[in-house]
Amino acid sequence: MEIKVNASKDYSVIIKDSLCELKSYAKQVIKGDKIAIITDKRVEKLYLKQVEEVFSDSKVYTYSVNGGEESKSITCYYEILEFLAENGFKRNDTIIALGGGVIGDLAGFTASTYMRGINLIMIPTTLLAMVDSSVGGKTAINLKSGKNLAGSFYQPSLVYICTEFLKTLPDREVLSGMGEIVKYSFIGSGLTLDEIKQGVNGSLIYKCVDIKRQIVENDERESGERKLLNLGHTVGHAIEKVENYT
């Protein structure tokens, strides 16, 4: 399945059950010869090798952080910037965000600011990231005063969703993603609770992404309609802040 997002930068969201077509789609948007894969320790153990093999004919560098919100910090952001600079990354090279929402936010914000914008590919590994955070161009890191207070709107060049990754997702993360899916049934048309009860599949992910696509195309920088996507997030972020992101 493929969805075209027509935003300030047009790009495709590809939904497949394996990584077998990742290389062919990535080749269409990769221009430089260097790739930096930003991931976390858990995803690194599970899937990094597979992704590295896809890009075996490129110069691949990897930067891995601890999982969780604490990695969406000024410190991690700065360290990745230095990592890119030390390895000679230029504007036409590529960052791949391999992970969930935290990695997508962190790598995306880094991509938006390194050399004023470097090529970005999203490969989400959690259900929440697949149906929501990997699409639409919101990137951010946290500050002591609150969540996502430093960020940018920066669209990727490609989003490649591999549903095979869901097989290793903990139940807690599945529930987290399902909460986001239920949100889409409230704010968009064409998605019913009966469909959600049938379980997660490529078609369900497609419908969620398509609802978000419509909203993002109408209001990319959240001046109006896109605020619908924050349903539940405002309270959730406040709870995270009070509990120090634990």
Side-chain angles (χ1 to χ4, degrees):
M1 303 178 190
E2 180 173 356
I3 297 174
K4 294 281 190 181
V5 181
N6 299 305
S8 54
K9 178 196 290 182
D10 296 346
Y11 58 97
S12 292
V13 180
I14 309 299
I15 304 171
K16 298 285 184 181
D17 59 5
S18 73
L19 292 174
C20 64
E21 295 185 59
L22 171 58
K23 187 171 185 177
S24 62
Y25 283 104
K27 271 189 170 182
Q28 299 174 32
V29 299
I30 290 177
K31 297 177 182 178
D33 63 348
K34 290 182 180 179
I35 295 172
I37 300 175
I38 311 300
T39 190
D40 65 43
K41 303 295 185 185
R42 183 174 186 276
V43 176
E44 178 183 11
K45 293 177 182 177
L46 290 169
Y47 298 117
L48 177 61
K49 188 174 181 180
Q50 293 180 42
V51 177
E52 285 179 328
E53 288 174 354
V54 170
F55 299 103
S56 58
D57 55 353
S58 300
K59 297 177 182 176
V60 178
Y61 302 76
T62 302
Y63 195 95
S64 183
V65 301
N66 293 323
E69 287 288 329
E70 64 270 19
S71 292
K72 278 176 56 175
S73 66
I74 290 285
T75 300
C76 285
Y77 164 64
Y78 174 77
E79 289 174 350
I80 296 173
L81 289 175
E82 288 288 3
F83 173 79
L84 296 171
E86 289 169 2
N87 287 288
F89 274 73
K90 295 182 170 54
R91 190 174 296 164
N92 65 340
D93 292 320
T94 298
I95 286 178
I96 292 179
L98 176 64
V102 168
I103 292 299
D105 274 355
L106 175 63
F109 184 54
T110 304
S112 74
T113 52
Y114 183 74
M115 289 198 165
R116 299 184 179 87
I118 188 173
N119 194 37
L120 173 66
I121 293 176
M122 293 283 198
I123 305 179
T125 60
T126 65
L127 182 57
L128 189 149
M130 290 177 186
V131 300
D132 188 68
S133 61
S134 66
V135 179
K138 265 191 174 182
T139 75
I141 56 174
N142 302 327
L143 303 181
K144 288 182 180 179
S145 298
K147 183 166 176 167
N148 296 339
L149 291 184
S152 62
F153 291 94
Y154 191 72
Q155 302 294 343
S157 299
L158 172 70
V159 179
Y160 191 95
I161 296 172
C162 174
T163 58
E164 181 186 10
F165 292 159
L166 297 175
K167 294 177 181 178
T168 55
L169 204 59
D171 289 346
R172 179 182 176 89
E173 289 297 328
V174 174
L175 288 172
S176 180
M178 290 302 290
E180 208 69 24
I181 290 171
V182 171
K183 177 193 80 175
Y184 281 113
S185 74
F186 293 158
I187 67 175
S189 60
L191 180 60
T192 67
L193 290 176
D194 285 338
E195 288 178 283
I196 295 172
K197 289 176 183 177
Q198 294 174 18
V200 178
N201 52 44
S203 177
L204 186 63
I205 294 170
Y206 179 96
K207 287 189 175 183
C208 292
V209 172
D210 197 45
I211 291 169
K212 183 163 189 180
R213 172 198 63 78
Q214 295 173 49
I215 292 173
V216 168
E217 288 181 352
N218 290 335
D219 179 23
E220 183 174 348
R221 299 183 69 84
E222 201 179 273
S223 59
E225 181 183 356
R226 186 167 179 169
K227 292 178 183 178
L228 285 169
L229 296 172
N230 296 331
L231 176 64
H233 289 221
T234 308
V235 171
H237 289 180
I239 293 171
E240 286 182 301
K241 171 63 170 62
V242 169
E243 297 297 327
N244 294 316
Y245 305 109
T246 58

